[in-house]
Amino acid sequence: SKSPMRVAVTGAAGQIGYSLLFRIANGDMLGKDQPVILQLLEIPDEKAQKALKGVMMEIDDCAFPLLAGMTAHSDPMTAFKDIDVALLVGARPRGPGMERKDLLEANAQIFTVQGKALDAVASRNVKVLVVGNPANTNAYIAMKSAPNLPSKNFTAMLRLDHNRALSQVAAKTGKAVADIEKLCVWGNHSPTMYADYRFATVAGASVKDMINDQEWNKDVFLPTVGKRGAAIIEARGLSSAASAANAAIDHVRDWVLGTSGKWTTMGIPSDGSYGIPEGTMFGFPVTTENGEYTIVQGLEIDEFSRERINVTLKELQEERDGVKHLVG
Ligand code: NAX
């Protein structure tokens, strides 16, 4: 049988953690034949550590056959020791009266510390997914804080946006989500992201031709996907949690186990493709194989798409400029 993989999860006592940990331990992320060891990080605060213990008690009570070990941590230097996968979920939420700039700075500090800890103690092949917002910029900061790890190991979660877009397109066309291929989301995990179904197909037929409504794209689809997080908060009184956890599972599973030629979306450091400056943590269409992702090349970027991509790129560059003094 396979030797266990070590998975660190930060913010493990939070909302997303509560949906995520059980699915990782159940084999939904790394495979039903892959034992896992969970290394769980929470802030040192007594209440958070106690809540984490409670979650671990429940995980124990599931008696997951694939769970080969589980530890609680308040220091990333021990939480990240020898890990193969890091799910960086914990982040500083926006408090009352907090400006966007304060939020960026508070998170820049967290992800600098965690990037350095990954650099020092994680497996050299560690796969890092940042979920905590602002996800792209946090992933960028962690990457910059870990100069001894390959930049390509750092990714940000755009998969929830991707899945939201898939479900909207499925509803509009009356097709099954499982049959829709070649959809992608460009840019920042924020309302500026650009969900793009121009290349999407169902059994080879063009989704764009099926929909054939540019007004729907611009006035309904993009705002619906872009503001979905706010709509969930409005309806549920809490932000997306189970769907975010599900997207994190999808992201890592596809990265590790491959997409068999199918497209998905990952936030990854740009290699300069499509004119996105190198190093920018940007949502791209990718395929994955043997634990590596590859950007889908050769797609035509029309004028409308270029405009949308420029808007989300500009936002990312402003976020990065806001924390430049902290990251160097
Ligand atoms: P919660 O507030 O329920 O949980 C966050 C947990 O992280 C808390 O228990 C907190 O103590 C812990 N934490 C904070 N700082 C930490 C640190 N430095 N080290 C370890 N743990 C730390 O939030 P939740 O609803 O679980 O959301 C977590 C993050 O995901 C938020 O930043 C949220 O904005 C972000 N999201 C990102 C999404 C994406 O698509 N990329 C979608 C869902 C979600 O909104």
Side-chain angles (χ1 to χ4, degrees):
S1 66
K2 292 182 168 178
S3 60
M5 285 175 77
R6 293 182 178 274
V7 178
V9 179
T10 74
Q15 262 212 108
I16 294 175
Y18 194 71
S19 289
L20 182 59
L21 300 176
F22 298 85
R23 294 194 55 194
I24 299 172
N26 193 42
D28 293 355
M29 187 172 82
L30 296 171
K32 296 287 185 186
D33 60 345
Q34 177 60 63
V36 292
I37 296 172
L38 289 174
Q39 303 187 183
L40 307 177
L41 181 69
E42 259 298 340
I43 52 173
D45 170 74
E46 205 179 304
K47 248 180 86 186
Q49 288 293 324
K50 192 173 166 205
L52 176 57
K53 291 280 151 47
V55 176
M56 292 169 74
M57 286 159 68
E58 281 204 74
I59 294 171
D60 279 336
D61 294 349
C62 295
F64 288 115
L66 288 172
L67 187 63
M70 178 167 60
T71 48
H73 302 263
S74 57
D75 179 353
M77 286 294 282
T78 61
F80 296 164
K81 183 94 181 88
D82 297 331
I83 54 169
D84 303 293
V85 177
L87 293 157
L88 307 185
V89 179
R92 179 75 184 272
R94 190 188 291 239
M98 213 171 166
E99 298 287 331
R100 186 183 154 81
K101 183 173 152 289
D102 305 327
L103 184 76
L104 271 170
E105 289 208 1
N107 280 297
Q109 269 150 21
I110 293 173
F111 286 85
T112 302
V113 169
Q114 295 190 356
K116 285 181 176 160
L118 288 165
D119 201 44
V121 300
S123 157
R124 299 300 87 183
N125 298 316
V126 64
K127 288 179 160 59
V128 182
L129 169 62
V130 177
V131 175
N133 280 320
N136 296 53
T137 296
N138 289 342
Y140 174 81
I141 291 164
M143 173 181 82
K144 286 292 176 191
S145 306
N148 298 303
L149 292 172
S151 300
K152 68 176 170 62
N153 296 18
F154 290 82
T155 66
M157 192 164 94
L158 271 291
R159 186 60 178 263
L160 182 53
D161 309 281
H162 177 99
N163 288 349
R164 285 167 172 166
L166 259 182
S167 127
Q168 294 298 323
V169 165
K172 177 73 175 172
T173 57
K175 304 292 181 185
V177 276
D179 295 335
I180 299 168
E181 293 189 43
K182 300 188 173 177
L183 187 90
C184 67
V185 181
W186 305 88
N188 196 7
H189 168 66
S190 95
T192 66
M193 56 90 236
Y194 173 45
D196 186 356
Y197 61 75
R198 291 176 303 136
F199 311 104
T201 58
V202 174
S206 160
V207 162
K208 187 170 173 241
D209 291 350
M210 267 173 231
I211 294 174
N212 194 23
D213 186 349
Q214 181 58 16
E215 300 304 309
W216 181 80
N217 181 35
K218 190 161 60 68
D219 299 336
V220 181
F221 174 69
L222 289 172
T224 300
V225 177
K227 295 179 196 154
R228 187 69 165 182
I232 301 283
I233 294 175
E234 166 65 23
R236 210 171 80 89
L238 291 165
S239 57
S240 323
S243 56
N246 179 68
I249 296 274
D250 284 351
H251 177 116
V252 175
R253 187 200 55 230
D254 282 353
W255 190 1
V256 173
L257 298 175
T259 59
S260 310
K262 295 203 170 147
W263 296 18
T264 185
T265 299
M266 291 172 73
I268 57 175
S270 177
D271 61 357
S273 293
Y274 297 103
I276 306 306
E278 205 175 327
T280 310
M281 197 59 73
F282 205 81
F284 280 104
V286 299
T287 58
T288 63
E289 193 177 10
N290 300 323
E292 305 284 342
Y293 54 77
T294 308
I295 297 176
V296 177
Q297 294 295 340
L299 302 175
E300 193 212 319
I301 306 297
D302 59 19
E303 198 181 322
F304 177 78
S305 303
R306 182 52 68 192
E307 263 171 41
R308 302 296 300 228
I309 287 173
N310 283 345
V311 168
T312 194
L313 173 62
K314 183 159 171 277
E315 182 184 53
L316 269 175
Q317 289 173 327
E318 283 167 6
E319 286 184 15
R320 188 200 51 202
D321 291 348
V323 295
K324 222 172 199 159
H325 58 292
L326 298 167
V327 192

